[in-house]
Amino acid sequence: MESKSVADLIEASSGVHFSGFHMNGLQERHSGVEQATTSAADNIVMQPFVIGVAGGAASGKTTVCDMIIQQLHDQRVVLVNQDSFYHNLTPEEHARVHEYNFDHPDAFDTEKLLASMEKLRNGQAVDIPKYDFKSYKNNQHRRVNPSDVIILEGILIFHDPRVRELMNMKIFVDTDADVRLARRIRRDTVEKNRDIGTVLDQYSKFVKPAFDDFILPTKKYADIIIPRGGDNHVAIDLIVQHIRTKLGQHDLCKIYPNLYVIHSTFQIRGMHTLIRDSQTTKHDFVFYADRLIRLVVEHGLGHLPFTEKQVVTPTESVYTGVDFCKRLCGVSVIRSGESMENALRACCKGIKIGKILIHREGDNGQQLVYEKLPQDISDRHVLLLDPILGTGNSAVQAISLLLRKGVPESNIIFLNLISAPQGIHVVCKRFPRIKIVTSEIESGLNGDYRVIPGMGEFGDRYFGTDDDDWQEVTHST
Ligand SMILES: Nc1ncnc2c1ncn2[C@@H]1O[C@H](COP(=O)(O)OP(=O)(O)O)[C@@H](O)[C@H]1O
Ligand SMILES: Nc1ccn([C@@H]2O[C@H](COP(=O)(O)O)[C@@H](O)[C@H]2O)c(=O)n1
Ligand SMILES: [Mg+2]
């Protein structure tokens, strides 16, 4: 495509909002996308999703954890047992081990557990003791690497509020006392070589009272109570599904503090349902997409800086409020992004809106970038408009161009309707200071790099250039 004709194309497609068209995309095309703007990107530590699993001894905690881990096979999951943090016994305690209460909160070195968790959450590997139930020692260690999911399991794992605080999800495995006792007898006699008399003594002296006094009272902290432990496949399936959703969605907001997902309501879900439905007419698609876009734009504007302003009301009282940010412009990514311009103009009277055209050239991923931006854009806060964040490639191109124009990274707010986690990772890691405002986070991308569940080709549906509409036009003319 010839440079001049592209300029004309943009001019024709967008209308002139201001002077200052720069045609330097071709020169920049071969220089590639800018490298990460700051080393801070490398320092971002993904916060793991921490699941706590509590319940009485032999209730099936380890079995439930194993089942969750098995189902989350495509995630990096690590299991940390509270048993690993049993205090070593003194020689005196060891000599009278049958009088030692292994079910009391004081039997555990919770400070050490907290220190290990702190390391894992900071992305550092940690050596976790391996507890030997036969020798009562934890002299050996295993190396645990930082992971996407950490499962903390143990009878008293909900006891200390500081440990509870670490958890994103708390599960209590609720199994009848007689089943727990029967399993314990079998386990302790077979696996731990203990005689049945000792097992029963320990149970009545320590295990049962501790369950009533310390373990059962922590059930109230659970988000989910699983009756029948590992037999409850439905509960485990639901939990795994929830973890997957959480990993892909809102926890992204914890990982990336500059990612904002507008608060979901049934109205918003209803609008999404309509625009995602492939049967929705163009008219309805535009109507509900516009409503959602307006919400995203309003939310995005809320992230602009403000100055305090006092006004005198008609009752001659003073109202202390704020003044809008004045140095502002929009930049839409042609063509879908243009659908967001009206909402921005409706909110910000007379706002300048620039345009960026990103063109994928063949399959080699090379992209041509043409732009028409305000000359003083480096002095402005920029609202970057593109309804769908998919792989993040276009967004990286667009943001890199803005940075080359001198716009500070922290002055860019990227507004979109839906975001794929992959795109969020790409953009937020590379540009940790930009803000992203979106209305929903998607499950992911399919093999063709299309957003799933998504809403199809947004530009075609919004501007009526999808196949059906073209046919309609052909038939009616
Ligand atoms: N649903 C089940 N049916 C039969 N045996 C089970 C079931 N769940 C666990 N067990 C057995 O009971 C014992 C205790 O289970 P485990 O998962 O280790 O419990 P916990 O970790 O709560 O102590 C183990 O020997 C295990 O094999
Ligand atoms: N040396 C030890 C240490 C602990 N116990 C018992 O283990 C139970 C906790 O383990 P779970 O896998 O069942 O959660 C607890 O009831 C302790 O009494 C032990 O017997 N010997
Ligand atoms: Mg266990």
Side-chain angles (χ1 to χ4, degrees):
M1 200 185 285
E2 227 249 327
S3 308
K4 184 76 177 76
S5 61
V6 175
D8 291 343
L9 177 84
I10 300 172
E11 205 73 21
S13 72
S14 54
V16 183
H17 305 297
F18 51 84
S19 60
F21 179 71
H22 304 286
M23 192 62 207
N24 56 1
L26 272 178
Q27 287 79 32
E28 282 158 357
R29 149 191 173 202
H30 295 295
S31 62
V33 180
E34 278 179 6
Q35 292 308 303
T37 51
T38 162
S39 61
D42 303 329
N43 295 334
I44 288 180
V45 176
M46 305 272 190
Q47 285 291 302
F49 189 83
V50 181
I51 305 167
V53 180
S59 58
K61 299 183 296 298
T62 304
T63 307
V64 165
C65 292
D66 287 346
M67 291 169 79
I68 294 174
I69 292 168
Q70 212 174 358
Q71 289 198 35
L72 285 174
H73 53 88
D74 53 344
Q75 304 283 344
R76 294 185 310 153
V77 188
V78 69
L79 178 64
V80 176
N81 298 90
Q82 195 178 23
D83 299 341
S84 300
F85 299 92
Y86 269 121
H87 284 294
N88 272 325
L89 300 186
T90 62
E92 297 74 41
E93 285 167 340
H94 200 275
R96 301 157 67 95
V97 74
H98 300 312
E99 290 168 29
Y100 191 85
N101 188 350
F102 289 100
D103 292 67
H104 192 279
D106 292 346
F108 298 96
D109 187 346
T110 303
E111 302 306 319
K112 192 169 176 180
L113 184 148
L114 284 165
S116 300
M117 283 301 292
E118 179 69 15
K119 278 193 166 177
L120 282 176
R121 278 160 51 90
N122 286 332
Q124 294 169 309
V126 66
D127 287 331
I128 304 258
K130 280 204 244 175
Y131 188 71
D132 179 4
F133 283 86
K134 287 185 184 156
S135 65
Y136 309 103
K137 290 200 169 78
N138 53 21
N139 293 340
Q140 292 196 330
H141 291 82
R142 69 185 169 112
R143 176 132 283 218
V144 171
N145 289 316
S147 301
D148 302 325
V149 180
I150 301 174
I151 306 184
L152 268 178
E153 179 246 321
I155 49 173
L156 287 161
I157 208 72
F158 294 167
H159 180 76
D160 191 305
R162 294 168 302 166
V163 182
R164 283 203 305 272
E165 266 303 297
L166 302 173
M167 298 170 184
N168 302 92
M169 182 198 267
K170 298 186 219 53
I171 299 170
F172 191 93
V173 182
D174 200 10
T175 305
D176 286 347
D178 48 358
V179 176
R180 281 189 275 116
L181 176 58
R183 286 180 186 167
R184 185 181 181 105
I185 292 170
R186 192 188 303 138
R187 185 176 67 179
D188 285 6
T189 52
V190 175
E191 290 172 26
K192 298 180 189 164
N193 267 340
R194 295 180 184 172
D195 72 84
I196 189 158
T198 314
V199 177
L200 291 175
D201 277 354
Q202 187 192 7
Y203 186 82
S204 54
K205 204 165 166 187
F206 299 121
V207 180
K208 187 173 167 17
F211 180 81
D212 295 335
D213 294 346
F214 302 115
I215 301 172
L216 192 57
T218 66
K219 186 172 157 182
K220 62 174 175 283
Y221 300 120
D223 304 305
I224 302 160
I225 295 164
I226 311 187
R228 306 184 311 283
D231 287 338
N232 198 334
H233 292 269
V234 174
I236 290 165
D237 284 354
L238 286 171
I239 288 166
V240 170
Q241 225 172 53
H242 184 78
I243 296 167
R244 285 192 180 286
T245 311
K246 284 286 176 187
L247 277 176
Q249 299 193 356
H250 294 289
D251 260 37
L252 286 170
C253 297
K254 281 196 185 156
I255 299 168
Y256 304 116
N258 286 346
L259 169 67
Y260 301 92
V261 183
I262 63 175
H263 179 69
S264 184
T265 62
F266 285 122
Q267 276 295 307
I268 290 174
R269 294 280 290 174
M271 289 186 257
H272 266 283
T273 309
L274 275 153
I275 63 171
R276 286 160 184 281
D277 186 345
S278 58
Q279 302 302 311
T280 296
T281 61
K282 178 196 174 248
H283 182 268
D284 280 355
F285 181 85
V286 170
F287 183 82
Y288 290 106
D290 280 346
R291 272 186 69 187
L292 274 172
I293 290 167
R294 179 73 182 250
L295 288 175
V296 170
V297 167
E298 289 280 8
H299 192 113
L301 293 170
H303 290 284
L304 291 168
F306 58 86
T307 45
E308 194 181 290
K309 184 179 181 182
Q310 288 191 333
V311 291
V312 179
T313 70
T315 60
E316 296 193 348
S317 317
V318 172
Y319 175 83
T320 305
V322 294
D323 201 6
F324 292 129
C325 167
K326 300 263 174 11
R327 303 294 296 164
L328 184 64
C329 73
V331 171
S332 62
V333 178
I334 298 172
R335 173 178 65 137
S336 304
E338 291 175 311
S339 65
M340 302 174 78
E341 291 181 2
N342 282 344
L344 186 56
R345 286 203 190 87
C347 295
C348 307
K349 225 170 18 163
I351 188 169
K352 287 184 172 183
I353 301 183
K355 289 178 189 279
I356 295 178
L357 175 63
I358 297 162
H359 176 62
R360 184 172 287 278
E361 216 181 36
D363 293 332
N364 61 7
Q366 276 200 335
Q367 292 173 331
L368 300 170
V369 180
Y370 300 96
E371 40 87 1
K372 188 177 71 168
L373 302 169
Q375 264 171 334
D376 59 352
I377 193 163
S378 58
D379 298 333
R380 293 174 183 271
H381 286 262
V382 177
L383 294 154
L384 181 63
L385 312 174
D386 195 352
I388 299 184
L389 170 59
T391 61
N393 288 339
S394 302
V396 167
Q397 292 280 345
I399 295 162
S400 299
L401 176 62
L402 295 176
L403 298 181
R404 289 200 295 273
K405 293 289 168 192
V407 181
E409 195 177 303
S410 53
N411 278 11
I412 301 171
I413 304 177
F414 180 23
L415 306 181
N416 59 65
L417 279 187
I418 57 172
S419 294
Q422 288 88 337
I424 292 171
H425 286 304
V426 166
V427 172
C428 291
K429 275 189 195 164
R430 189 154 188 156
F431 310 110
R433 293 194 191 86
I434 83 154
K435 294 187 177 74
I436 298 182
V437 177
T438 190
S439 66
E440 275 193 357
I441 294 178
E442 301 293 283
S443 311
L445 301 173
N446 69 10
D448 297 328
Y449 302 104
R450 287 164 67 97
V451 178
I452 296 295
M455 55 182 75
E457 287 300 325
F458 188 93
D460 282 341
R461 294 187 75 187
Y462 192 93
F463 295 110
T465 48
D466 47 354
D467 289 342
D468 292 349
D469 284 314
W470 283 119
Q471 268 168 18
E472 259 173 49
V473 173
T474 317
H475 286 300
S476 61
T477 47

